[in-house]
Structures are given as C-alpha cells and as structure tokens.
C-alpha cells in the first residue's frame, strides 16, 4: 500500500499543507519541523505523486546540479569551467539552478521532487546506483563521465582520443619512454584515458608497461606530489608524461621541481582539457583542448529538450579534443 501525504502529516503531527511546503521548498515551516517531516518521509519511504503535483503546479522552476564529492570538484578547474557553461545555459531559461554537494542533500533534493531536472557531474560506479537514479523519475543528463550501462544522456570530452593525441605529440618529439599519470579506475574518464594510452603505444610500436602507469586515488596531484615524485624518481628513464587532466599535470610539474628536474628540459609534460589556468602557469602547459564551456551549455540544452518532451536521439555526445603545443614539451635529451 502506497504512503500518502496524509500519512506523513499524521505521523509528523503537522498539516498536509506543511508537508506540501517542505516538498516544494516553500517558506512557512520552521527548520526543526521541516527536518521532522523529512525524517518521517524517509522512515515511511514516501514518494510524492508526480501526477497530482503536476496538476497543482506545472513545474518547480528549479534545475539541480548534483556534484558528488562536493567541494573537491569545485576546486578542480575542469568542473568549475564546465559549471560556468551550465550556469550560462540556465541563464538563457526561466529556471533557477540549485546545487547539491553531499549524498544526504542529493537524496533529499531529488526524492522530494523539488526540481524538474538534473545535471549530474561525473558520477562513479560506486557512488550512485542506476536503480535509484531511475526510481526518482526525473530527466537526468550526465556531464564529464558516465555510469556503465547508463540510460541517461551524457555529454563528455573524447578523453581516449585526447590522450592518444598527447602520446603522439611526445612521440613526434622523439620520446620513446612515455608514462601516464591517471585518476582512479572507478572513474570511466580514467578508464578511457588508460585505454587511449595503451592503444596509442601499441599503434606506435612502443611496449606497454604497467610500471609506467601511476594511478592517483583522486584527480588531485597537488595533494599527492610526494607520491608522484617517488614515481618519477623510480622511473627516471621516463622522458615524457601524459596526464588525464591539467590539474594532474600541474601536480606532476610540481613533483618534477621537487626532484630538481627541469620541465621540459628533463621531463616533458602534457595535460588534458585546457582549463583556463593552463596557459598562465610557468612554463605554459601543453595540453589537449576541449570546449569545456560548450560541454556545460550542451548538457543544459539537452536537459531543456527533455523537459519539453523532445526525443533525445543521441545519448552520448562527445566533444572533440585538439592538441595544443605550449612550453612543457620538448625533444628528450636522450632516447
């Protein structure tokens, strides 16, 4: 038997109007009372009746931007730049943007149907279950990565080809001992980058060695410079490194400096994504460019089409990447 709004109101000791205000994020309910109502909804596994709500109110006027791993992602220039594109896209509509950072916030925001649609940032397979995401019955667009077997439209860079271009650029300069600094394998972005690295090494006739692969448990080499430095010191034969993000590449440069290595004289480094800061650091970072603002704006456009009931024919929208040669790459001193 399904739980009704009256059941929630009765157990919480409030009126149905108070429950409705909490569901739609309207004022008029005290913080403690609202928290009690939410707790009761969770205990009773209450799900709002979307059809009934639609008769009363056509939409909430809100779009949720769900950010797993919260503040870390906002500190990463890849995500902050894509987020700027999303904000620009939403600015062209009548919708408001609501951001969610923690799992409890996300569950409360989405299950109470306080939004009309969702833009989901780079989820990982262990973070959000497909079954739960489908159960909330909201239009969802994934940005930057995708869940294996996901039914939701995804907008992302062509990570695999981007890394292949980076490896090829180092090869053309004369590098033969090329390593990769990558993120965690729980991220499909990391999986695609490693696949691109392996494929290009094979195409070029270069031997693949797992010893030349360094995996970081998060896309934050700045916090792992000691580990990266240990990797570089252990594999001093590596003359060039490709990275699955510019953020990681900046960390690799810092680690090289810790070891007294000159970039690019002693070590060439290539990033990925071409975030705004990559052209302002010294030396300027060679990288593979993708239109990050465009990624965010396209994700918003797709979500708007879904909200209008339009059929989305292309589920996986891939943005091309292009190698940009700057100052962190040069010919190796020796092969």
């Amino acid at each position: 038997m399904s739980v009704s709004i009256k059941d929630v109101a009765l157990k919480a000791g409030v009126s149905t109007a108070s429950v409705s205000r909490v569901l739609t994020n309207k004022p008029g309910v005290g913080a403690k009372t609202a928290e009690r109502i939410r707790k009761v909804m969770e205990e009773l596994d209450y799900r709002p009746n979307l059809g009934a709500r639609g008769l009363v109110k056509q939409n909430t006027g809100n779009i949720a931007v769900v950010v797993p791993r919260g503040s870390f992602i906002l500190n990463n220039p890849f995500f902050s730049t894509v987020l700027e594109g999303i904000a620009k896209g939403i600015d062209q509509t009548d919708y408001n943007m609501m951001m969610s950072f923690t799992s409890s916030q996300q569950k409360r925001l989405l299950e109470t149907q306080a939004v009309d649609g969702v833009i989901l940032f780079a989820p990982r397979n262990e973070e959000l279950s497909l079954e739960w995401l489908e159960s909330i019955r909201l239009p969802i667009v994934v940005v930057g990565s995708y869940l294996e077997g996901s039914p939701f439209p995804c907008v992302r860079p062509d990570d695999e080809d981007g890394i292949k271009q980076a490896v090829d650029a180092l090869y053309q300069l004369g590098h033969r001992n090329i390593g990769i600094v990558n993120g965690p394998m729980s991220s499909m972005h990391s999986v695609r980058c490693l696949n691109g690295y392996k494929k290009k090494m094979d195409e070029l006739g270069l031997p693949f060695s797992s010893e030349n692969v360094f995996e970081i448990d998060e896309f934050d080499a700045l916090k792992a410079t000691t580990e990266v430095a240990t990797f570089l010191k252990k594999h001093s034969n590596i003359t060039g490194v490709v990275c699955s993000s510019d953020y990681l590449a900046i960390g690799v440069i810092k680690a090289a400096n810790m070891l007294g290595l000159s970039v690019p004289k002693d070590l060439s480094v290539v990033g990925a994504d071409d975030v705004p800061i990559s052209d302002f650091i010294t030396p300027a970072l060679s990288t593979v460019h993708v239109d990050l603002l465009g990624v965010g704006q396209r994700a918003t456009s797709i979500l708007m089409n879904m909200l209008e009931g339009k059929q989305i024919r292309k589920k996986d929208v891939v943005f091309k990447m292009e190698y940009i040669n700057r100052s962190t790459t040069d010919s190796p001193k020796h092969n």
Side-chain angles (χ1 to χ4, degrees):
M1 182 177 177
S2 61
V3 178
S4 70
I5 192 171
K6 290 182 179 179
D7 296 323
V8 174
L10 183 62
K11 184 167 183 178
V14 298
S15 67
T16 55
S18 293
V19 177
S20 179
R21 288 191 182 96
V22 171
L23 285 171
T24 55
N25 281 347
K26 287 184 176 180
V29 180
K32 290 184 178 179
T33 302
E35 185 59 34
R36 185 169 75 250
I37 291 171
R38 293 189 187 100
K39 186 175 181 181
V40 169
M41 287 192 291
E42 187 172 345
E43 289 174 356
L44 297 179
D45 194 25
Y46 171 69
R47 303 292 177 87
N49 185 315
L50 298 183
R53 285 191 62 199
L55 293 174
V56 178
K57 186 176 183 180
Q58 291 300 313
N59 57 64
T60 67
N62 298 320
I63 297 297
V65 179
V66 175
V67 186
R69 301 178 305 287
S71 60
F72 163 75
I73 277 188
L74 291 182
N75 290 331
N76 187 318
F78 169 87
F79 294 105
S80 57
T81 307
V82 174
L83 182 60
E84 182 182 351
I86 292 172
K88 286 184 176 181
I90 292 178
D91 279 347
Q92 303 303 311
T93 74
D94 293 327
Y95 283 93
N96 302 308
M97 184 171 75
M98 301 177 67
M99 295 195 66
S100 170
F101 298 98
T102 67
S103 57
S104 59
Q105 283 181 0
Q106 291 157 16
K107 186 174 183 180
R108 184 162 61 242
L109 180 65
L110 302 186
E111 286 193 338
T112 57
Q113 302 290 321
V115 298
D116 298 319
V118 181
I119 295 176
L120 178 60
F121 261 89
R124 295 179 186 169
N125 291 323
E126 77 279 6
E127 289 176 330
L128 295 169
S129 76
L130 285 175
E131 183 179 354
W132 180 77
L133 286 171
E134 290 183 87
S135 75
I136 62 176
R137 295 177 294 172
L138 285 171
I140 296 176
V141 178
V142 178
V143 173
S145 186
Y146 62 89
L147 296 171
E148 195 70 42
S150 169
F152 309 116
C154 174
V155 184
R156 61 180 179 85
D158 192 350
D159 311 301
E160 184 172 310
D161 185 65
I163 290 296
K164 290 174 73 173
Q165 290 185 49
V167 172
D168 188 64
L170 291 178
Y171 181 85
Q172 297 303 324
L173 286 170
H175 294 271
R176 297 298 180 264
N177 297 311
I178 302 170
I180 180 172
V181 173
N182 202 7
M185 287 298 102
S186 58
S187 164
M188 289 305 300
H189 165 75
S190 299
V191 172
R192 290 194 301 268
C193 287
L194 183 59
N195 287 342
Y197 170 77
K198 288 180 177 179
K199 288 179 180 179
K200 195 62 186 181
M201 294 289 282
D202 183 63
E203 289 173 12
L204 296 172
L206 300 177
F208 168 78
S209 171
S210 59
E211 290 291 310
N212 289 348
V213 177
F214 185 72
E215 179 184 337
I216 296 178
D217 61 5
E218 195 49 87
F219 289 94
D220 191 356
L222 295 178
K223 291 184 178 179
T225 49
T226 302
E227 290 86 348
V228 175
T230 300
F231 167 74
L232 294 176
K233 187 175 182 179
K234 182 179 179 181
H235 303 285
S236 57
N237 61 317
I238 292 177
T239 61
V241 174
V242 296
C243 304
S244 57
S245 78
D246 288 340
Y247 208 29
L248 292 184
I250 292 171
V252 170
I253 293 171
K254 182 178 180 181
N257 291 336
M258 288 173 57
L259 296 174
L261 298 176
S262 172
V263 175
K265 183 178 179 181
D266 300 314
L267 181 72
S268 287
V269 180
V270 183
D273 301 326
D274 194 23
V275 298
I277 196 175
S278 63
D279 195 23
F280 290 92
I281 64 171
T282 303
L285 181 64
S286 296
T287 185
V288 277
H289 171 82
V290 65
D291 181 6
L292 296 177
L293 289 176
V295 168
Q297 290 174 315
R298 183 65 177 277
T300 305
S301 174
I302 291 173
L303 184 60
M304 292 302 118
N305 286 336
M306 294 173 71
L307 289 169
E308 292 173 7
K310 296 179 181 178
Q311 185 177 1
I312 307 301
R313 299 183 182 278
K314 195 171 183 180
K315 292 289 187 180
D316 191 18
V317 178
V318 181
F319 274 61
K320 292 182 178 180
M321 304 188 79
E322 180 181 0
Y323 177 71
I324 303 293
N325 184 52
R326 293 195 180 114
S327 303
T328 57
T329 46
D330 201 352
S331 300
K333 290 193 299 185
H334 56 80
N335 290 333

